[in-house]
Amino acid sequence: MNREIKFKGKRIDNKIWIAGSETYICDGDGIWLSDENTDVVKAISETVGQFTGLKDRNGKEIYEGDIVVNINNGLIHIVKWSYIVAGFELYEQSLNTVNGRYWFDTDIDVKEIQVIGNIHDENLKIFQK
């Protein structure tokens, strides 16, 4: 599968999201991403997520750490990387407990999901583990 490799993360200086960064530098000082002006800025490490290569039903890019809703059944999922399958999975969230795993390519049609936020958004902290 060929996909574009890019990242999303919050700037450390103002906590504003940088999305679509093709620059990812990890050094002793932290993680650095390029912003919309192609300036390389330091990102909050725990907020950095990789692009899955997929877009939701509205054409919005889906990144690791994003929270998505299945519009057919109302289930809310978190996008996570799985080392077991070496791919991105959707983890079902119910009362802040992971109770199911779904693979993008076999179990979920991306036309059924919509990005509603990210686990690092202040108003969505309830989804953080």
Side-chain angles (χ1 to χ4, degrees):
M1 174 173 142
N2 289 331
R3 68 177 169 86
E4 196 173 2
I5 305 296
K6 52 189 176 179
F7 301 88
K8 170 174 138 176
K10 284 188 174 185
R11 295 174 61 119
I12 202 161
D13 57 357
N14 62 14
K15 296 186 176 45
I16 293 176
W17 283 106
I18 300 168
S21 175
E22 294 178 356
T23 302
Y24 177 97
I25 301 168
C26 184
D27 64 16
D29 289 333
I31 296 177
W32 303 79
L33 302 175
S34 58
D35 66 9
E36 64 279 352
N37 300 320
T38 66
D39 294 327
V40 177
V41 296
K42 192 170 182 182
I44 302 170
S45 298
E46 60 270 13
T47 68
V48 176
Q50 190 174 16
F51 178 48
T52 64
L54 301 171
K55 294 181 180 179
D56 75 359
R57 66 187 310 258
N58 298 318
K60 185 171 183 169
E61 293 178 340
I62 303 171
Y63 286 83
E64 180 181 13
D66 280 347
I67 301 168
V68 299
V69 63
N70 184 316
I71 60 162
N72 290 332
N73 58 23
L75 291 176
I76 295 174
H77 307 278
I78 295 177
V79 179
K80 294 185 179 183
W81 175 260
S82 169
Y83 290 98
I84 296 169
V85 299
F88 293 98
E89 295 180 318
L90 295 178
Y91 286 77
E92 184 180 322
Q93 287 295 115
S94 175
L95 299 176
N96 208 27
T97 304
V98 174
N99 61 14
R101 295 183 343 186
Y102 302 91
W103 286 264
F104 273 124
D105 58 348
T106 57
D107 297 331
I108 300 286
D109 181 356
V110 292
K111 292 179 182 78
E112 298 174 359
I113 63 172
Q114 181 175 340
V115 175
I116 59 172
N118 187 283
I119 61 171
H120 300 291
D121 291 335
E122 291 301 317
N123 59 336
L124 297 171
K125 290 287 189 187
I126 60 168
F127 290 103
Q128 273 192 327
K129 285 264 197 210

